[in-house]
Amino acid sequence: MRGVEQEHYVNDPENVYVKDGQLVLQVTNRDKEDQYKNPRGNRQVIYNSGSVRTHGKREFLYGRIEMKAKLPKGKGAFPAFWTLGSDFTLDGRISSEQGASWPVCGEIDIMEMIGAENEDLNGKSNKKVYQTLHAGSATDVDHSKSISTYTLPEGIFNDDYHIFGLNWSKNKMEFYVDNKIVGSIDYSNNEEYKRCFNRPQYIQMNLATGGNWAGDAGDNLAGQKYEIDYVYYGQNAQQKADSKEYYENAIKINGEHDVTMTEGETPNLLEGVTSDQDSILDYSIDNEYSFKSKGGLTSVDLVCSGKNDKQSLKKLKPGKYNLYYTARSSTDSTKPSTRRAVILTVLPNDKQDLIELDRELIKNGSFENGTNPSSGYEINSRTSWQVTNARFTKWPGCSYEGSWCGFLPENNGNANI
């Protein structure tokens, strides 16, 4: 949930799925017992929906970013295709000292649509999309600029698939719909915009319902879909050269890797990880992988704010977490930070010799009918392991898809897949 909206973003296959090669974000009714009042306003959160982003996985700087999609329709349907600065603090999921707040990080709205029950009602329409920039020099001080509004000459965006894109160069942007340029901006003389937009961004696609701009969501949006055929990224020679120049001068992080620790310990999670340019390196941890869709106002939270937050690190329960490394300038507060994301796995403290096995190795035959010399277990078939010195089982911390766990040493036993 963002803003004063009426959807709860969930990790449910009803709301985010791939079908026939297309990514689909779908609105469904939220169970009555799980509905709640949006704490930022008085609207009831009545829907579940989907949101997908590339943060921590892929960032982009200059080039053509394009999507082909069929949009939903209806009162308060609010699909968006947009970007945020890669060092954004994720609405509090990363320590405020370890990156840029909104809108300092910059926001590029490539496509937003505010659906309507009746066409073109107070600017809300199923045939109209908006392109907007958000920038600022301080938290929540938004110097936004509407770049363009495009209205389909006939029909609505739910009738068929359409192309929405951004051609982004250093100090210049062009927005297009169905390969027609609908708006542009040259910000070479705007220092604030250069700080906010000449920096890496990550892509986000989401289907909201209702909100400050969209107003109250209709009560009939369940089943509405945001169907994404593709998202494309490419660069011309100049965009590639300008991007290369940026990264050559950007702060660099080296040595980051997935980390495993034991519950109750306080290891140095910065060990072996370095950054250059006399930057300040720290980390944040969130609990995305233990997020629950049900239970009212559930959320993903910051659970450890960095190297000085040893007590929170010590309290982490067994499971899987996002570990975000951020390096920021020690001398220039306007310089974009650099971020890298890895996985932190916390093991239960009463099983020191826990090992994790990838079920895919069994499925593809890598360990079928053989012995792994490093751990001493035997695989008799793809569906049953005869274990010589371990008991293999599932436990809550590694119950995510594709992972099985064993404890050493243990009695002989069997495990079924």
Side-chain angles (χ1 to χ4, degrees):
M1 174 266 298
R2 302 184 188 97
V4 193
E5 298 170 3
Q6 293 176 262
E7 82 292 329
H8 194 76
Y9 290 120
V10 296
N11 55 357
D12 193 298
E14 275 195 308
N15 302 99
V16 182
Y17 59 92
V18 175
K19 182 178 181 181
D20 298 328
Q22 296 188 337
L23 172 65
V24 181
L25 308 180
Q26 180 174 233
V27 176
T28 59
N29 289 319
R30 188 162 176 80
D31 291 341
K32 289 287 187 181
E33 60 268 26
D34 291 320
Q35 295 181 15
Y36 58 91
K37 288 288 185 184
N38 187 318
R40 298 181 180 128
N42 199 36
R43 289 190 174 95
Q44 186 79 355
V45 175
I46 58 175
Y47 294 117
N48 286 341
S49 191
S51 178
V52 174
R53 63 184 175 200
T54 69
H55 178 268
K57 299 175 177 65
R58 180 69 190 272
E59 64 183 33
F60 306 86
L61 178 63
Y62 309 137
R64 187 179 291 268
I65 302 174
E66 178 180 294
M67 173 187 72
K68 183 178 181 182
K70 181 191 290 188
L71 305 186
K73 64 179 180 179
K75 182 184 177 184
F78 189 0
F81 176 44
W82 53 306
T83 77
L84 283 166
S86 295
D87 61 345
F88 178 46
T89 52
L90 298 181
D91 295 316
R93 287 170 51 183
I94 293 175
S95 171
S96 60
E97 297 179 353
Q98 298 173 27
S101 59
W102 185 90
V104 179
C105 63
E107 176 182 328
I108 306 171
D109 296 326
I110 303 172
M111 181 282 297
E112 292 179 295
M113 189 198 80
I114 304 298
E117 189 171 5
N118 300 305
E119 282 308 304
D120 206 10
L121 179 65
N122 298 323
K124 303 174 179 67
S125 171
N126 300 309
K127 63 194 306 183
K128 182 182 296 184
V129 290
Y130 297 85
Q131 296 78 31
T132 311
L133 298 179
H134 296 270
S137 55
T139 301
D140 293 330
V141 179
D142 181 18
H143 298 153
S144 63
K145 181 175 180 60
S146 175
I147 302 300
S148 56
T149 302
Y150 176 77
T151 302
L152 275 178
E154 58 182 43
I156 63 175
F157 283 108
N158 185 251
D159 292 338
D160 204 349
Y161 290 83
H162 294 270
I163 294 172
F164 309 94
L166 165 71
N167 190 15
W168 174 25
S169 299
K170 185 177 181 179
N171 299 331
K172 183 178 180 181
M173 297 181 192
E174 293 177 335
F175 295 83
Y176 57 93
V177 177
D178 294 331
N179 297 314
K180 175 185 177 181
I181 296 175
V182 297
S184 63
I185 181 173
D186 184 326
Y187 54 92
S188 55
N189 293 321
N190 187 324
E191 293 303 316
E192 182 177 73
Y193 274 33
K194 286 197 289 185
R195 285 195 305 271
C196 293
F197 300 123
N198 290 348
R199 63 198 294 160
Q201 303 268 311
Y202 67 85
I203 294 173
Q204 186 151 312
M205 296 158 284
N206 65 277
L207 175 49
T209 59
N212 278 336
W213 186 13
D216 292 336
D219 60 6
N220 59 348
L221 293 181
Q224 285 299 314
K225 299 175 183 177
Y226 181 2
E227 300 171 273
I228 300 161
D229 185 38
Y230 69 76
V231 174
Y232 164 85
Y233 175 69
Q235 293 176 309
N236 62 31
Q238 187 60 55
Q239 290 166 338
K240 189 174 295 185
D242 289 337
S243 176
K244 180 181 179 182
E245 181 183 19
Y246 172 90
Y247 282 111
E248 286 176 346
N249 294 290
I251 298 170
K252 296 174 181 60
I253 297 176
N254 294 293
E256 75 278 6
H257 55 83
D258 292 346
V259 178
T260 299
M261 60 173 278
T262 300
E263 179 186 14
E265 295 184 350
T266 56
N268 178 12
L269 298 183
L270 294 176
E271 185 175 3
V273 185
T274 61
S275 62
D276 63 2
Q277 300 185 29
D278 196 28
S279 56
I280 300 170
L281 179 65
D282 210 338
Y283 62 83
S284 288
I285 301 170
D286 78 23
N287 60 357
E288 176 183 355
Y289 291 95
S290 60
F291 171 79
K292 304 297 183 185
S293 298
K294 294 182 176 295
L297 177 51
T298 59
S299 62
V300 179
D301 302 306
L302 173 66
V303 293
C304 179
S305 61
K307 59 188 177 184
N308 295 322
D309 190 10
K310 296 295 186 183
Q311 286 303 309
S312 295
L313 183 62
K314 188 175 183 178
K315 292 178 182 178
L316 293 182
K317 299 300 182 183
K320 182 178 176 184
Y321 299 84
N322 285 318
L323 170 58
Y324 301 105
Y325 290 108
T326 305
R328 59 186 174 89
S329 173
S330 59
T331 58
D332 183 1
S333 61
T334 66
K335 185 180 180 72
S337 301
T338 295
R339 178 165 301 140
R340 296 290 181 265
V342 299
I343 298 298
L344 170 67
T345 301
V346 179
L347 308 181
N349 58 15
D350 59 339
K351 299 293 182 182
Q352 297 295 324
D353 295 314
L354 179 68
I355 61 173
E356 293 187 14
L357 299 176
D358 187 344
R359 185 168 57 179
E360 292 304 314
L361 295 176
I362 310 302
K363 285 182 177 179
N364 67 25
S366 298
F367 292 123
E368 186 176 5
N369 299 324
T371 299
N372 183 328
S374 65
S375 58
Y377 61 84
E378 293 182 1
I379 305 300
N380 292 330
S381 72
R382 292 192 183 198
T383 57
S384 179
W385 306 343
Q386 180 63 45
V387 183
T388 58
N389 65 345
R391 175 173 60 82
F392 290 89
T393 184
K394 269 191 167 185
W395 61 283
C398 67
S399 60
Y400 49 90
E401 179 69 20
S403 292
W404 288 76
C405 303
F407 303 106
L408 299 175
E410 288 282 355
N411 297 327
N412 292 351
N414 294 301
N416 294 320
I417 299 178

